[in-house]
Amino acid sequence: CDCAYYEIVSDKIDFTAANECLKKKAMQDVYRYLENSNKNSDIYNYKFYIDSAITYNDDNLISIICDVASYETNYRDEILLYGINIDAKTGEVMDNNKIINVDEDFAKFFKDRCTCQMGAHDYVNNLSDQEIVKLLTNPQSLIVYFSPLGIEIGYQYKYRSGKGWITCTINDYDKYLSGVYQFDTSFSKKYDVFSYEKQYGTYNQQHGLDDPLAGYYDSYDDF
């Protein structure tokens, strides 16, 4: 297991709880594997590679992602992504489920933005609005973090025995904010990803729907 995670240090703000969260998120899949693995298994070559990156940092917000890849006997088993958002003024770890109000209108908005940015994708375009709402409101599957381009939002999905993830970048997300957390969103208004991609990018390109894994989407309830 190779694992890297951040520790935030400040003379003014107590980041103890945030640092505990950062370590827990980085290591949780390792601990889960050790707890659930068969002690009599003859598979001894299971590897975790866990990296972390600060995607946004200002006087109000700190966003950090944990990127997890696991391999069983040199074959990739799962790829996972977690977003941790911290109030830089208080040291509080934000509840990702309370940042954005997710309903079927937002699901339609999310689907359109994903199609604009990446073209059609099985685990977006082949899901109903209700299924997308479920994935974006399940704390086990939801991914939320910030970047200089805006908010990055998406979800983990399950297929066959593995897991993957998808996110899209949204800069005009203000009307979907829950209001639970107060922070300046002007940083994301400088570059409109949606307008650029709609004019020059992948909007309406229907690639991905012939994915051989199509139809293998599974519920995330049992993760």
Side-chain angles (χ1 to χ4, degrees):
C1 174
D2 292 331
C3 179
Y5 55 88
Y6 286 95
E7 181 177 276
I8 305 172
V9 178
S10 172
D11 294 332
K12 299 179 180 179
I13 308 298
D14 183 6
F15 286 103
T16 301
N19 288 330
E20 290 175 355
C21 178
L22 291 170
K23 180 179 180 180
K24 180 179 179 181
K25 279 292 183 184
M27 293 296 296
Q28 67 179 10
D29 293 289
V30 177
Y31 295 147
R32 183 182 294 115
Y33 174 78
L34 292 174
E35 290 173 2
N36 296 333
S37 62
N38 185 342
K39 293 181 174 57
N40 297 318
S41 172
D42 57 359
I43 299 174
Y44 299 102
N45 190 10
Y46 199 92
K47 301 176 182 177
F48 283 93
Y49 297 96
I50 304 161
D51 201 3
S52 299
I54 298 173
T55 59
Y56 189 77
N57 183 21
D58 67 12
D59 292 338
N60 299 295
L61 285 171
I62 304 171
S63 275
I64 297 173
I65 57 170
C66 290
D67 188 0
V68 181
S70 61
Y71 296 80
E72 183 174 308
T73 58
N74 296 324
Y75 290 95
R76 190 175 69 188
D77 186 33
E78 296 177 349
I79 53 173
L80 302 163
L81 189 73
Y82 303 109
I84 302 97
N85 302 289
I86 301 166
D87 187 324
K89 303 183 298 296
T90 66
E92 176 189 6
V93 177
M94 297 180 179
D95 182 341
N96 285 350
N97 283 90
K98 294 181 179 179
I99 295 175
I100 292 287
N101 284 323
V102 175
D103 54 17
E104 290 188 23
D105 286 339
F106 182 80
K108 291 181 174 67
F109 176 70
F110 172 81
K111 187 180 294 186
D112 187 56
R113 291 305 169 97
C114 283
T115 304
C116 167
Q117 187 174 352
M118 296 169 286
H121 190 287
D122 266 340
Y123 298 103
V124 177
N125 299 83
N126 283 355
L127 301 185
S128 68
D129 295 338
Q130 294 87 352
E131 287 174 316
I132 288 176
V133 168
K134 189 173 182 180
L135 286 165
L136 289 174
T137 54
N138 184 337
Q140 293 180 313
S141 57
L142 174 63
I143 304 168
V144 180
Y145 60 94
F146 294 87
S147 81
L149 298 180
I151 196 169
E152 197 80 15
I153 187 165
Y155 44 76
Q156 323 274 5
Y157 57 79
K158 294 181 70 174
Y159 58 90
R160 293 182 176 173
S161 61
K163 303 182 183 76
W165 58 269
I166 188 167
T167 65
C168 71
T169 308
I170 302 174
N171 77 311
D172 53 340
Y173 54 88
D174 294 46
K175 69 177 181 179
Y176 296 104
L177 289 171
S178 68
V180 173
Y181 303 108
Q182 303 299 318
F183 53 89
D184 181 11
T185 62
S186 61
F187 66 88
S188 64
K189 304 300 184 289
K190 299 176 183 178
Y191 180 71
D192 189 339
V193 177
F194 178 71
S195 295
Y196 180 88
E197 290 292 350
K198 194 163 187 177
Q199 185 172 0
Y200 302 107
T202 59
Y203 193 69
N204 283 336
Q205 291 182 12
Q206 295 298 307
H207 65 72
L209 293 182
D210 57 349
D211 189 327
L213 295 175
Y216 285 95
Y217 164 75
D218 194 6
S219 169
Y220 221 81
D221 292 343
D222 59 348
F223 178 60

